[in-house]
């Protein structure tokens, strides 16, 4: 294979990275606000990434140390087709050892401290010896 040829896997990986970049550039208000709390190891001194490709999916927020995925869902996720897709997606991720937390945007806006506390507790359960919040 010449250096100019690419494999299907390489092309798919590039496409996912471009999709993730586009999602970061068009983040919702809830995602931007959540990112302010998770970026820079602010949550339990653990690194989160946003719009991270994992397998065939791109997840909203991901902490590799805890294998924790945080998904912020808007109203479009309440439709039947989206619910089925999200359930299949969550199952695929959980079978591979990831923990998926689904949080509604309106829930995060209404009580951000409670949501952040829930994320911290989940991290504490998944990672040994975390500092206090």
């Amino acid at each position: 294979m010449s250096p100019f040829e690419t494999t299907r896997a390489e092309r798919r990986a590039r496409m996912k990275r471009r999709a993730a970049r586009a999602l970061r550039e068009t983040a919702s208000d809830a995602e931007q606000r959540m990112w302010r709390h998770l970026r820079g190891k602010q949550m339990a001194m653990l690194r989160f990434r946003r719009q991270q490709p994992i397998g065939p999916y791109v997840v909203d927020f991901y902490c590799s140390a805890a294998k924790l995925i945080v998904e912020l869902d808007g109203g479009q996720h309440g439709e039947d087709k989206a619910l089925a897709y999200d359930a299949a997606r969550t199952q695929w991720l959980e079978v591979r050892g990831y923990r998926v937390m689904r949080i509604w945007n309106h829930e995060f806006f209404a009580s951000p401290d409670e949501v952040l506390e829930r994320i911290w507790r989940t991290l504490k359960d998944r990672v040994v010896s975390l500092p206090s919040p």
Side-chain angles (χ1 to χ4, degrees):
M1 183 159 72
S2 79
F4 298 106
E5 294 179 36
T6 59
T7 66
R8 177 182 278 187
E10 290 169 329
R11 286 191 305 271
R12 285 191 76 191
R14 269 200 316 270
M15 283 177 28
K16 282 197 296 186
R17 283 193 303 272
R18 280 194 297 259
R21 187 176 303 122
L23 288 169
R24 283 191 295 271
E25 291 170 359
T26 60
S28 70
D29 291 341
E31 290 170 339
Q32 290 176 23
R33 189 168 170 190
M34 175 68 81
W35 184 237
R36 279 182 255 160
H37 294 283
L38 298 180
R39 67 189 299 256
K41 297 184 180 182
Q42 293 181 76
M43 177 70 69
M45 296 301 295
L46 294 173
R47 180 177 182 211
F48 275 84
R49 295 183 184 121
R50 65 185 180 135
Q51 303 304 337
Q52 175 69 37
I54 297 178
Y57 305 107
V58 177
V59 300
D60 289 344
F61 302 98
Y62 174 60
C63 174
S64 61
K67 286 191 85 171
L68 176 65
I69 294 167
V70 178
E71 289 289 315
L72 282 175
D73 294 339
Q76 73 277 13
H77 288 268
E79 298 171 9
D80 290 341
K81 191 174 180 179
L83 288 169
Y85 175 82
D86 287 345
R89 182 177 191 255
T90 297
Q91 182 182 15
W92 189 94
L93 291 162
E94 287 180 344
V95 163
R96 286 151 182 83
Y98 298 98
R99 166 73 162 87
V100 180
M101 291 183 72
R102 291 198 144 325
I103 300 163
W104 290 100
N105 288 351
H106 65 84
E107 177 187 7
F108 178 59
F109 284 128
S111 51
D113 291 338
E114 290 176 24
V115 168
L116 293 169
E117 175 69 22
R118 213 166 68 218
I119 294 169
W120 185 85
R121 281 193 313 256
T122 302
L123 287 168
K124 184 178 176 191
D125 292 343
R126 294 187 62 86
V127 178
V128 179
S129 71
L130 285 183
S132 296

